[in-house]
Each structure stands twice: as structure tokens, then as C-alpha cells.
Amino acid sequence: MSPLSTAALCLLLAAQALASYKFGYDVDDGYYNRHHHKEESDVYGAKTGSYGYSDAHGIYRHVAYVADGQGYRAYVSSNEPGTAPQDPADVKMYVKPANYKPEPAYYKPQPSNYKPEPAYYKPQPAYYKPEPAYYKPQPAYYKPEPAYYKPQPAYYKPQPAYYKPEPAYYKPEPAYYKPEIYNKY
């Protein structure tokens, strides 16, 4: 196998691996109503999955499906009122009768003896008269204390400096004459 065809095969396998996926969710609202869906895809593009719901009255529908090169095929299981075990197109229906009788939801308001009295509102005028602000500043008296300064006398008496130099003795070294001998030969 040539290096070019090996690289092309690696790229093809990597692209197919990236093309596959898987996801799903399942939601329950806390009032016995639930819906769900999950799906998977393979590297050839075939998809398999299921989805459905069920409610608080016991009604449910569950659909499992396959979508591939042969088309879309579904398998439906339900007990919804009005469904019949007929197989339209490529769908297989599995129907069970519902075990509940829906209650009619009629709303009949009750007569009320409540008769509100009209509310009369007459706002009172707001009177506002500010008091005058009387402010008279007091004079600030400032009288500094006199500063008395009397310098102290400075007593300075220099000490005599005694200096007695050492006698200097000079003794020169004797100078000896040493003739140099040249060897010219």
C-alpha cells in the first residue's frame, strides 16, 4: 500500500469517526409528565433511536425508529385514545386500549355577594412653611500669649594646644662606588 493511499485511508476513517454521534435526554416535570429522546448514529450514517412521552393519566406513546439505507422504519407503542392498530407506510403500530376516562373540565363560576364600595379619596393640601434660620456668628477673640525669649550666655574658653615636635635626625647612607666591568669579547 502506498503512503498516499494509507494517508487517505486514515483521513477517511477519522472523518467517519467524527460523523458518528450519540445524544439523549429524559425530562420529568414533577407532575408525572415525562418525555424522552435518544439517538445514535454510526459511521455509515445510519441512525437508530427512540422518543416518547407519558402523562399523569397513564397515556403514553413510545416510538423506536431506524433510518438507514433501507429508509425510515418506526415501531409505535401507544394507548392514546383514537389510535388503531393500522400500519401506515413502514410503521408498525402496537396499540393498547387506554385505561382511563377523562373527566370533563367545566368551569362554573360561583355567584358572589361581594360588592365593593366606592373608594373616595380627597388628598389634603400640604402646607409647608419653613422656619427662618437665625444665625449670628459670635466674634472670635484671639489674644496670643507674649513670647518671652532670653538667650542663655554661652561660656567658651578655648583650651591651650600643646605641641612639641619630635627632633628630626638625618643620617644618609654611605655611597659606595662599584665599577662595572664590561666584557667586550
Side-chain angles (χ1 to χ4, degrees):
M1 187 177 265
S2 72
L4 183 60
S5 61
T6 305
L9 179 63
C10 288
L11 285 174
L12 178 64
L13 291 174
Q16 287 179 345
L18 292 174
S20 64
Y21 63 88
K22 182 189 285 189
F23 76 90
Y25 63 86
D26 189 1
V27 178
D28 186 350
D29 68 357
Y31 298 101
Y32 303 103
N33 298 310
R34 181 176 161 249
H35 64 279
H36 60 89
H37 186 184
K38 78 175 184 177
E39 183 174 296
E40 293 182 28
S41 171
D42 63 10
V43 295
Y44 302 108
K47 294 168 182 42
T48 59
S50 65
Y51 61 89
Y53 74 91
S54 62
D55 65 9
H57 300 291
I59 302 296
Y60 70 91
R61 176 191 295 175
H62 180 78
V63 179
Y65 61 90
V66 176
D68 57 9
Q70 298 175 7
Y72 180 81
R73 297 175 306 283
Y75 304 93
V76 179
S77 173
S78 177
N79 70 348
E80 295 174 287
T83 55
Q86 299 173 353
D87 297 338
D90 284 336
V91 176
K92 285 297 244 180
M93 298 289 289
Y94 302 99
V95 178
K96 296 180 182 176
N99 293 331
Y100 91 103
K101 182 178 179 184
E103 299 174 10
Y106 297 115
Y107 175 71
K108 185 177 179 184
Q110 298 295 324
S112 175
N113 293 333
Y114 175 69
K115 293 185 179 160
E117 294 188 19
Y120 296 105
Y121 176 69
K122 183 177 178 187
Q124 299 294 326
Y127 296 108
Y128 175 69
K129 184 177 179 186
E131 294 290 325
Y134 297 107
Y135 175 70
K136 184 177 179 185
Q138 298 294 325
Y141 296 106
Y142 176 69
K143 185 176 180 185
E145 294 290 324
Y148 297 105
Y149 176 69
K150 183 178 179 184
Q152 298 293 327
Y155 298 105
Y156 175 71
K157 184 176 179 186
Q159 297 294 327
Y162 298 106
Y163 175 70
K164 184 177 179 185
E166 295 280 330
Y169 298 104
Y170 176 70
K171 183 177 177 185
E173 289 188 22
Y176 297 105
Y177 175 72
K178 184 177 180 185
E180 289 190 27
I181 301 174
Y182 294 104
N183 190 359
K184 294 186 179 181
Y185 299 106

